[in-house]
Amino acid sequence: MFSSRYKQPNTLQRMSLIRLGNWIAQHAELHMTSVTIQAQYNPQEAQATLANKVDHIRKYLDFHVPWMLHDQLVNEAINSLNQLLDKTKNSMGFRASMSTFIAKMNVIVKMTETLFTKNLTYVSIDVIPKMIRTIFYTKLYMLTGLVYLNLGSLSGGWKTADMEASMIKSIKELHALKYLYINYDCTDKILKCIVESCTKLEKLDVSCSKCITNESIDIICKLKRLKSIQLYQTFVTWEGFVNLLINCKTLEDIGRCDEVGRVLEFIHKNCPEALPFNLKIFVSRYANSKHLQLAVDTCPDIFNMTVFHNTLQSDLLVLIGLKNLSKLKLLSCDFYADQIKQVLQVKGCNLSYLHLEHVDQIDLNALMYISQMCPLLHTLTFYNCSLIQHTSLYTKTLDILPFRNLRKLTCVSGFSDEQLLFLLSNCINIEFIQIGTAVQLTDEFIMMLLEKNPLIYLKELRIMQSDFLTIASIEQIIQNCISLEILVELESWSMLSDSDRDYIKNYIKVNNYNIDTAPISSPIRRYK
């Protein structure tokens, strides 16, 4: 289904939310001067006055904004407040007093609290402007309706003890949480609070938290609905994972665990009554053939498999035994020598996702084999693979039209024009394409590709770097790719001048095309 080629007017709902977000920022600006002046004489009274105004606005929003729209309102309001922060910074001359500057910033940050109601369900700290993050960290306990909470890196592990008390104070009130990310600074005390307060929790990510050890596993196992736990780069050893798998029967994902094979081997020998497990995701870099076979036998529901292949220790043909395998990520192997072709021959018809990383011996024949053996592929990734020229071309007529179900293609490897053209000219329903720096496209290649496949369903295109593409390619891409919404990384095209980029932006604007060329890291994109 086509997306609109042209920008459409905002819906009345979106316009209302944008205007309401602006209204919140206007209140901050309106009260900024009076509160600042009052703070010079009586700081406590100024803070009390501001708190009353914020509380009044919060109650007003809580009563008038439908609960299902509150998350969207938060995005719009944070965007408006962030713009006000920038405007206020720029308006302050170098002669302005620091106390006045701090007082004005405090009003804007404090106004964020108007959004803190029980209707806010989703918070990801990393996408919130840094100056506003503090208020989220200190007032999280007010967000009693949160379902998803990503606390980002917190102190990065440098001030874990300082963070603990405030985190516990907040988590005690978050009874609706289902997804919690608390990296670097999780502790056993925080885990105990999670067990007591977050009884609905299904996913917990405590990666990189150095206070998490084998003793922490006994606490984690008390989470009765837990399906996913991420413990990578903590101090949990293989013995801790043994305890986890035996005593937490609801688990479907234990994240990356390089010693999971050793874990399964120990349980198989010493606690066979605990088998089988409900694991559906397997990620390991050190599993040998015996361990892979154990995974197939003891975790029959695995559908997502990530394997770092060791030629001397593991045989990939073992994967054929996974009846539900639909997502496969293979690292460090050879397409032909390590029998990837044979695995795909048997399991390819079930695969919707295939990621090949540091895989050698891929030639045009291999790409053709993938297209025929994996007809239902939705996502295909080549990352740092070594592609070679074929010695003898696959001469049979292709029985299945190649890559007709492919929606997402990532090529971060050195493809030849012939190999890349085979991929791109056949995936007629593709929606996302990323081309890495190892591929140097030319205007001639783009013209040839678009003649064969105009990519009419393509929504996002990322060509990470180019020394040959010119403005002519961009014009052809815009004209042919009628569903295109995101065209990024133009800053890394060396043949484009600043005037070329300005021309493209103006061309898109004048024609009212629904295409965003803002960099991925741009705040403009972040709050859309």
Side-chain angles (χ1 to χ4, degrees), residues 493-523:
W493 293 21
S494 59
M495 292 292 286
L496 292 182
S497 64
D498 289 339
S499 60
D500 287 336
R501 295 185 186 95
D502 290 339
Y503 170 78
I504 289 298
K505 290 176 183 176
N506 189 56
Y507 178 75
I508 291 171
K509 182 177 180 180
V510 168
N511 288 279
N512 196 37
Y513 289 139
N514 185 31
I515 301 175
D516 188 353
T517 60
I520 294 297
S521 59
S522 169

Side-chain angles (χ1 to χ4, degrees), residues 446-457:
I446 295 295
M447 307 304 172
M448 190 189 320
L449 168 62
L450 294 176
E451 282 183 11
K452 292 176 174 288
N453 179 12
L455 302 172
I456 59 175
Y457 296 103

Side-chain angles (χ1 to χ4, degrees), residues 40-80:
Q40 295 176 357
Y41 302 100
N42 193 332
Q44 291 183 342
E45 186 176 335
Q47 287 300 315
T49 301
L50 180 58
N52 287 334
K53 294 181 185 299
V54 167
D55 189 52
H56 176 74
I57 296 174
R58 182 194 301 115
K59 291 177 180 177
Y60 180 82
L61 294 174
D62 191 21
F63 184 79
H64 288 90
V65 178
W67 64 268
M68 74 289 294
L69 299 179
H70 191 77
D71 286 337
Q72 297 176 49
L73 170 62
V74 170
N75 291 335
E76 300 298 344
I78 288 179
N79 188 29
S80 297

Side-chain angles (χ1 to χ4, degrees), residues 161-221:
D162 295 343
M163 303 293 298
E164 189 178 66
S166 62
M167 287 299 100
I168 290 174
K169 178 183 177 182
S170 296
I171 291 171
K172 279 182 178 178
E173 307 300 327
L174 307 183
H175 304 301
L177 266 186
K178 288 186 177 181
Y179 311 95
L180 176 59
Y181 300 75
I182 179 167
N183 305 138
Y184 292 97
D185 290 306
C186 191
T187 66
D188 284 353
K189 287 184 179 180
I190 292 175
L191 284 178
K192 289 176 182 177
C193 181
I194 291 171
V195 169
E196 294 171 1
S197 305
C198 308
T199 56
K200 297 180 180 179
L201 201 70
E202 295 180 6
K203 179 166 186 176
L204 177 62
D205 186 341
V206 295
S207 304
C208 305
S209 296
K210 302 307 180 184
C211 293
I212 301 302
T213 64
N214 286 349
E215 284 71 33
S216 309
I217 298 300
D218 290 331
I219 306 171
I220 293 171
C221 288

